[in-house]
Amino acid sequence: MNNDILLTPGPTPLPPQVREALGRPIIHHRTSQYRALFKRTLQGMQTVMQTKSSVICFTSSGTGAMEAAVVNLLSPGDEAIVVLGGKFAERWGALCKAYGITATTVPVAYGDAVDPKQVASALAAHPKAKAVFTTLCETSTGVVYDIPAIAAITRKSSAVLVVDAISGLLADDCRTDEWGVDVVVTGSQKGLMLPPGLAFMSLSERAWALVDQAKTPRFYNDLRLYKKALADDDTPFTSAVSIVVALDEALKLALQAGVPQVIRRCAQLAEATRAGMQAIGLTLFSKRPSNGVTAVNVPSGVDGKQLTKVMYDRSHVMVAGGQGDMAGKIFRFAHMGYISAEDVLAGLRALEEALNSLGYKVTPGAAVKAAEAVLHRSTATVSA
Ligand SMILES: *Cc1c(COP(=O)(O)O)cnc(C)c1O
């Protein structure tokens, strides 16, 4: 048995019900039994994604759904706006480039959130832009973007708003229909408490209209095929049966608790994590911290790569380091999905020990105590 504690922003730990479902004998996907289950899971995804639009399910990691958004909404030569600010936002830019879409980028410093006014100016300067690509939680910086404010701007324009909620869903609020977000993409291995392998997408009517006009070549990701199959609760290609069966279990857990409660719990764990970090003198990298992952500056004098390695070697706690230019300078501590309060406290304990062993002296227990104070206070408020 492996007793690693995964505090990474994907993959995240699996609940026992999900692990049990993954080990069941496989069933055939072209059966009424499977279709009923598939239909139920997609309805559950509509609740989780807070939309009445139908949800498309792909067998791929999250990036597959990002690529599907680009190739199904746009044609080579089209203009789009990409909001930057982290490694995942940059992926939208790379995808546009790969398919010959002219992307205007809205620059955002790592750790900052975009000022929605910048999106408004970009749209004013590029009125032909057909889509704005952005991110709910920018996992590389731990920042959550102000999607309702951005949606208020795109709703009044002719561009559709496409949001990467791969790590944000079920951690940060994502009111797709209420805010007027046209396209939301997500993946299975983060807040959904599943292994990697499924990606999802919802599209507004405005977005579906673009799908019919788009001229980018596509085959596996062609949304027209998925839409047609969906009429029979089916998929155009073999469904990832076992992960969908596990999705059914994961959704039961999330929906029994309720989407707002799942998000509130993540917010509490995030607050406890931030309090723990601050209690030992660490500072946050994110100017607008997300509920799903906390990005923390590595204190000066400490080697960031050693820090994450020592946490793992000594305590079997895995946190993520920084990506790209942020490598060695920050670490990212996740608290989404099935990650529990005990896991967060174990992570903070491992962090204290690793920092002490690397010469950054902290009072043992200080981070854990500060986090516990937040957790006890929130438990008291919830039960009151
Ligand atoms: C994890 C993640 C992705 C990438 O998903 P893959 O499943 O690795 O393809 C994209 N965007 C964000 C914000 C993520 O957190």
Side-chain angles (χ1 to χ4, degrees):
M1 267 304 268
N2 164 321
N3 52 5
D4 287 0
I5 298 178
L6 275 188
L7 298 179
T8 46
T12 59
L14 305 180
Q17 293 90 328
V18 166
R19 289 191 278 144
E20 178 276 319
L22 289 166
R24 287 183 207 160
I26 197 148
I27 57 175
H28 199 274
H29 58 295
R30 309 285 188 214
T31 56
S32 55
Q33 180 196 6
Y34 183 73
R35 280 171 214 238
L37 184 142
F38 187 60
K39 181 178 183 183
R40 180 164 75 235
T41 59
L42 293 185
Q43 284 167 344
M45 285 306 298
Q46 286 178 301
T47 307
V48 164
M49 294 173 83
Q50 305 193 50
T51 182
K52 291 202 165 59
S53 305
S54 44
V55 172
I56 304 293
C57 175
F58 299 101
T59 299
S60 75
S61 78
T63 306
M66 294 174 76
E67 178 154 347
V70 171
V71 301
N72 282 283
L73 298 172
L74 301 170
S75 308
D78 275 353
E79 285 184 45
I81 288 162
V82 171
V83 178
L84 292 180
K87 298 313 285 178
F88 293 104
E90 287 162 17
R91 188 164 297 175
W92 282 128
L95 280 161
C96 286
K97 186 155 180 256
Y99 287 102
I101 286 113
T102 309
T104 299
T105 53
V106 176
V108 179
Y110 288 166
D112 281 351
V114 68
D115 177 349
K117 285 194 211 91
Q118 288 178 271
V119 178
S121 332
L123 274 169
H126 300 274
K128 286 206 293 243
K130 281 192 180 158
V132 173
F133 293 98
T134 188
T135 318
L136 175 59
C137 166
E138 173 51 68
T139 321
S140 66
T141 63
V143 169
V144 62
Y145 285 0
D146 189 351
I147 300 301
I150 299 172
I153 294 160
T154 52
R155 263 203 326 263
K156 285 185 269 161
S157 78
S158 57
V160 292
L161 177 61
V162 183
V163 174
D164 167 358
I166 295 176
S167 68
L169 195 76
L170 279 174
D172 298 298
D173 206 2
C174 183
R175 302 193 184 180
T176 306
D177 287 357
E178 187 184 322
W179 295 343
V181 180
D182 294 286
V183 176
V184 171
V185 298
T186 196
S188 53
Q189 79 275 28
K190 310 211 173 172
L192 276 171
M193 310 180 282
L194 292 169
L198 294 180
F200 304 91
M201 184 174 185
S202 72
L203 296 96
S204 67
E205 275 173 36
R206 254 177 15 140
W208 277 113
L210 288 179
V211 173
D212 295 323
Q213 298 159 20
K215 292 190 179 58
T216 302
R218 55 205 136 136
F219 185 79
Y220 188 69
N221 277 339
D222 191 336
L223 283 174
R224 293 165 296 189
L225 302 177
Y226 287 80
K227 190 182 192 180
K228 189 158 167 272
L230 205 56
D232 298 317
D233 304 314
D234 206 348
T235 48
F237 311 105
T238 309
S239 187
V241 175
S242 301
I243 314 182
V244 173
V245 169
L247 170 64
D248 195 31
E249 296 300 329
L251 283 169
K252 271 184 209 159
L253 292 174
L255 298 177
Q256 263 159 22
V259 173
Q261 285 72 22
V262 171
I263 293 171
R264 183 139 42 96
R265 199 176 145 277
C266 273
Q268 288 168 354
L269 293 181
E271 194 192 338
T273 302
R274 293 193 295 264
M277 299 300 172
Q278 280 153 359
I280 52 174
L282 300 189
T283 55
L284 300 181
F285 182 66
S286 326
K287 304 270 166 40
R288 202 169 185 276
S290 70
N291 290 338
V293 58
T294 298
V296 183
N297 293 309
V298 173
S300 63
V302 173
D303 176 339
K305 287 183 184 156
Q306 274 304 110
L307 179 63
T308 52
K309 184 176 182 310
V310 171
M311 284 176 76
Y312 185 71
D313 292 346
R314 286 179 67 118
S315 316
H316 286 274
V317 167
M318 186 171 282
V319 296
Q323 294 165 274
D325 292 349
M326 295 166 279
K329 296 183 191 149
I330 64 168
F331 65 91
R332 295 169 301 138
F333 188 113
H335 24 70
M336 62 177 76
Y338 195 60
I339 293 170
S340 64
E342 291 74 46
D343 294 335
V344 166
L345 297 175
L348 291 172
R349 202 169 298 118
L351 174 66
E352 293 175 358
E353 288 175 13
L355 285 170
N356 271 326
S357 83
L358 292 170
Y360 176 92
K361 294 299 171 198
V362 305
T363 311
V368 171
K369 198 167 142 213
E372 271 173 342
V374 170
L375 294 169
H376 289 157
R377 198 183 68 220
S378 356
T379 320
T381 352
V382 171
S383 50

